[in-house]
């Protein structure tokens, strides 16, 4: 396929990329999706999504991802299990540097998502989706009437912790420092919430459990004291890394690496779009990412129509 010019290249196969692929392929544009891992992105790590519309009993993350990919493939989208190293402008569009060669595309939609920073402790990866979560809005309701831990001290940790408190009996906020980094407003709200209990100067050393979370082992950084905290869920909010590096230097990104776009997911570079968690001000939800993907694909089709005319069948 190297040397061929396609209509739309989509970088990333999370909900934004999968939806963009569906819309682009249905518009009869030659569409290729590049994904270095598995389709679905973050939702593929989620055991059960209970807030995706149309599934009153919830839906498995992998199940939803596979269905979305099949739907896009049905209309002609092609998927390649390959990473895009870099995107640059080229005559007639954009050049995608691949692990083995390159490809030209008339339009590019970056849907590379964002990776949640991990604690990198024993039990975290194994129990992800089984008590370990990176999204309170997605999973908080699963812990109704149970104690949980929230790891982090920034805005996201407190905001999500307050949301989890609607369901959990107790929310232990574990922070490695003795002061929070969150905004004053969120700190005030958090301290006013009786379900939130703060554990200062402490790190998580491991997450315990066989089939699901049964506790976290903690270590106090000042005293060295170790303890086991009895919880059934662990929500981790220590930051995330957006996948905007692929277009860094080509399109503007904010300090955190999120690609700057307008309401139609257009960057300042004609023909280059970004959607989902990789863009600025994303809601970081599967359903909003899917909406972004649809918007980006519609904008990309408009761009192609104006600059290259209708699809060549």
């Amino acid at each position: 396929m190297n040397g061929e010019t396609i209509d739309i290249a989509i970088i990333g196969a999370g909900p934004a990329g999968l939806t963009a692929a569906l819309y682009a392929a249905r518009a009869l544009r030659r569409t290729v999706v590049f994904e270095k891992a598995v389709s679905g992105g973050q939702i593929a790590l989620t055991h059960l999504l209970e807030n995706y519309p149309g599934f009153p009993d919830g839906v498995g993350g992998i199940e939803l991802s596979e269905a979305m990919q099949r739907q896009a493939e049905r209309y002609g989208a092609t998927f390649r299990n390959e990473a895009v190293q870099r995107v640059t402008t080229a005559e007639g569009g954009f050049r995608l540097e691949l692990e083995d060669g390159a490809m030209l595309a008339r339009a590019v939609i970056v849907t590379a998502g964002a990776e949640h920073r991990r604690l990198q402790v024993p039990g975290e990866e194994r129990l992800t989706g089984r008590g370990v979560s990176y999204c309170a809005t997605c999973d908080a309701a699963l812990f109704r009437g149970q104690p949980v831990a929230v790891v982090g001290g920034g805005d996201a940790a407190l905001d999500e912790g307050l949301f989890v408190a609607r369901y959990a009996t107790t929310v232990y906020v574990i922070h490695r420092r003795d002061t929070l980094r969150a905004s004053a407003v969120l700190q005030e709200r958090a301290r006013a919430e009786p379900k939130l209990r703060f554990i200062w100067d402490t790190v998580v050393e491991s997450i315990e459990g066989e089939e699901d979370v049964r506790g976290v082992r903690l270590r106090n950084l000042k005293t060295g004291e170790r303890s086991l905290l009895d919880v059934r869920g662990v929500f981790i909010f220590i930051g995330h890394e957006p996948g905007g590096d692929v277009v860094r230097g080509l399109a503007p990104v904010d300090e955190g690496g999120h690609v700057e776009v307008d309401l139609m997911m257009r960057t300042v570079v004609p023909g280059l779009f970004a959607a989902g968690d990789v863009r600025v001000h994303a809601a970081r939800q599967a359903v909003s990412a899917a909406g972004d993907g649809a918007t980006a694909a519609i904008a990309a089709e408009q761009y192609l129509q104006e600059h290259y005319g209708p699809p060549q069948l």
Side-chain angles (χ1 to χ4, degrees):
M1 191 177 294
N2 289 352
E4 177 188 355
T5 300
I6 61 172
D7 290 318
I8 300 177
I10 298 171
I11 303 173
L18 292 169
T19 307
L22 171 63
Y23 274 71
R26 278 177 55 84
L28 303 181
R29 296 297 182 178
R30 290 170 296 173
T31 304
V32 178
V33 182
F34 296 89
E35 174 54 65
K36 62 182 178 181
V38 297
S39 287
Q42 294 296 324
I43 66 170
L45 302 176
T46 303
H47 179 64
L48 185 70
L49 278 79
E50 293 193 310
N51 60 351
Y52 198 89
F55 298 92
D57 298 319
V59 61
I62 293 177
E63 177 187 353
L64 179 61
S65 304
E66 291 177 344
M68 293 174 78
Q69 178 169 335
R70 288 197 305 271
Q71 190 175 11
E73 288 175 327
R74 177 187 173 191
Y75 290 99
T78 300
F79 286 76
R80 292 183 59 168
N81 187 220
E82 189 172 3
V84 175
Q85 307 291 343
R86 189 182 178 202
V87 178
T88 57
T89 54
E91 184 177 354
F94 300 89
R95 177 183 173 90
L96 281 68
E97 300 290 344
L98 307 174
E99 295 172 348
D100 182 21
M103 178 177 287
L104 297 176
R106 289 172 171 167
V108 173
I109 303 175
V110 181
T111 58
E115 285 285 329
H116 295 284
R117 290 194 184 122
R118 306 300 207 257
L119 293 173
Q120 305 293 342
V121 299
E124 179 181 14
E125 182 176 353
R126 179 171 53 83
L127 293 170
T128 293
R130 293 177 169 81
V132 174
S133 174
Y134 304 88
C135 177
T137 310
C138 308
D139 299 327
L142 300 174
F143 300 93
R144 189 184 300 272
Q146 301 180 67
V148 303
V150 169
V151 183
D155 283 356
L158 293 194
D159 194 33
E160 303 278 4
L162 287 166
F163 187 86
V164 177
R166 301 180 187 183
Y167 303 93
T169 54
T170 306
V171 179
Y172 297 97
V173 180
I174 302 166
H175 188 38
R176 64 183 302 115
R177 299 179 178 84
D178 58 4
T179 57
L180 297 167
R181 294 178 290 107
S183 64
V185 172
L186 276 174
Q187 289 194 44
E188 184 178 353
R189 290 177 186 169
R191 290 192 170 96
E193 170 53 62
K195 289 185 179 180
L196 263 63
R197 300 182 184 177
F198 295 91
I199 301 177
W200 306 107
D201 302 310
T202 298
V203 295
V204 174
E205 289 199 317
S206 66
I207 300 174
E208 303 297 312
E210 293 299 325
E211 298 299 322
D212 50 23
V213 170
R214 291 293 161 179
V216 291
R217 293 198 178 275
L218 306 177
R219 177 171 59 88
N220 186 286
L221 293 174
K222 290 187 175 179
T223 66
E225 180 183 355
R226 287 179 165 85
S227 60
L228 177 64
L229 183 65
D230 182 19
V231 293
R232 295 296 175 267
V234 183
F235 291 86
I236 300 168
F237 303 108
I238 56 174
H240 65 277
E241 301 287 348
D245 281 349
V246 69
V247 293
R248 191 181 292 272
L250 178 61
V253 298
D254 68 7
E255 292 182 357
H258 303 88
V259 183
E260 296 183 1
V261 296
D262 63 14
L263 292 178
M264 289 301 293
M265 308 300 141
R266 294 175 295 218
T267 71
V268 296
V269 180
L272 180 63
F273 308 83
D277 290 5
V278 74
R279 74 169 176 92
V280 292
H281 308 309
R284 297 203 293 272
Q285 297 296 304
V287 65
S288 60
D292 280 2
T295 300
I298 291 169
E301 165 58 23
Q302 292 172 348
Y303 169 80
L304 292 174
Q305 184 74 29
E306 292 172 3
H307 290 80
Y308 300 98
Q312 296 178 2
L313 304 181

